[in-house]
């Protein structure tokens, strides 16, 4: 039996439409629903919240994050 390893691209395709955390190089976190992304890691989020130091700073409807600012993206547990 062979097990297929999941690539980062597979992971990103699976999480579209799910809650995510996007951490920027500056240390700021954006949490929201992943609407779409492209090959440059440009990210569109819906229902976006901005956190700095773990504290909620602002809420946005939709947000676009330029890929060169992204440190990582991860799934977020539902509240």
């Amino acid at each position: 039996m062979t097990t297929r390893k999941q690539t980062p691209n597979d992971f990103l395709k699976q999480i579209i439409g799910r809650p995510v955390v996007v951490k920027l190089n500056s240390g700021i976190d954006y949490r929201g629903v992943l609407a779409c992304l492209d090959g440059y890691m440009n990210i569109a989020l819906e229902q976006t919240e901005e956190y700095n130091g773990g504290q909620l700073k602002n809420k946005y409807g939709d947000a676009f994050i330029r890929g060169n600012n992204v440190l990582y993206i991860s799934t977020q547990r539902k509240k």
Side-chain angles (χ1 to χ4, degrees):
M1 181 167 105
T2 59
T3 29
R4 184 175 180 278
K5 292 192 176 184
Q6 185 178 11
T7 66
N9 194 36
D10 294 336
F11 168 74
L12 292 171
K13 286 178 184 176
Q14 287 177 353
I15 64 172
I16 291 175
R18 292 181 51 197
V20 295
V21 176
V22 178
K23 179 98 171 179
L24 303 187
N25 296 326
S26 64
I28 296 174
D29 292 348
Y30 287 92
R31 300 176 190 177
V33 176
L34 180 62
C36 63
L37 58 102
D38 65 13
Y40 296 101
M41 283 294 288
N42 295 319
I43 297 169
L45 294 177
E46 298 171 340
Q47 304 168 29
T48 310
E49 297 176 334
E50 178 183 32
Y51 289 83
N52 192 354
Q55 301 252 331
L56 178 62
K57 295 295 180 184
N58 212 337
K59 289 186 178 187
Y60 307 99
D62 297 334
F64 179 80
I65 301 170
R66 188 171 171 174
N68 65 336
N69 294 312
V70 176
L71 182 62
Y72 68 79
I73 181 171
S74 68
T75 56
Q76 175 182 339
R77 295 189 187 272
K78 292 187 178 179
K79 296 176 184 177

